[in-house]
Amino acid sequence: MKKIAVVYWSGGGNTEAMAKAAVEGAQKAGGDAALFRVDAFSAQDMKDYDGFLFGCPAMGAEVLEEAEFEPFFQEAETKISGVPVGLFGSYGWGGGEWMRQWEARVKDDGARLIGQGLAVENAPDEKGLAECAALGETLVKALA
């Protein structure tokens, strides 16, 4: 069974809810998925996993959270070439430009981006949570 790490940062709980739904979707599809807040996971831990879902909301001027997530992700980027990766997060303004930039960044790193980044405005509703679960399922299928 392929191992998946769902690594996220959440300030208000929206991205955390999305992360939990993604884990449930991955597990439902038969994946061995584990959930980690970014402060409990390091780029060195990545060697133990086959695929990743990274979650971070838009912050400030539509950027990744800068104190914890961005430093982690800069190091993680050196380890994702050829690896299946999915992206998700919530936003409250700006139309999701941070997600488009994040997608381009991951592609430039050589990762196998699973679908498009999933951006949900504000708190995820039932549809948004279902999309997160589907992202988890899609990653499991990409690892098969």
Side-chain angles (χ1 to χ4, degrees), residues 65-76:
E65 190 277 329
E66 295 173 299
E68 292 181 85
F69 196 87
E70 180 63 37
F72 158 76
F73 196 73
Q74 285 178 3
E75 193 172 345

Side-chain angles (χ1 to χ4, degrees), residues 8-19 37-38 55-57 59 65 68-69 90:
Y8 74 95
W9 185 90
S10 186
N14 295 340
T15 302
E16 180 177 20
M18 295 174 75
R37 284 189 56 88
V38 72
C56 187
M59 302 294 290
E65 190 277 329
E68 292 181 85
F69 196 87
S90 62

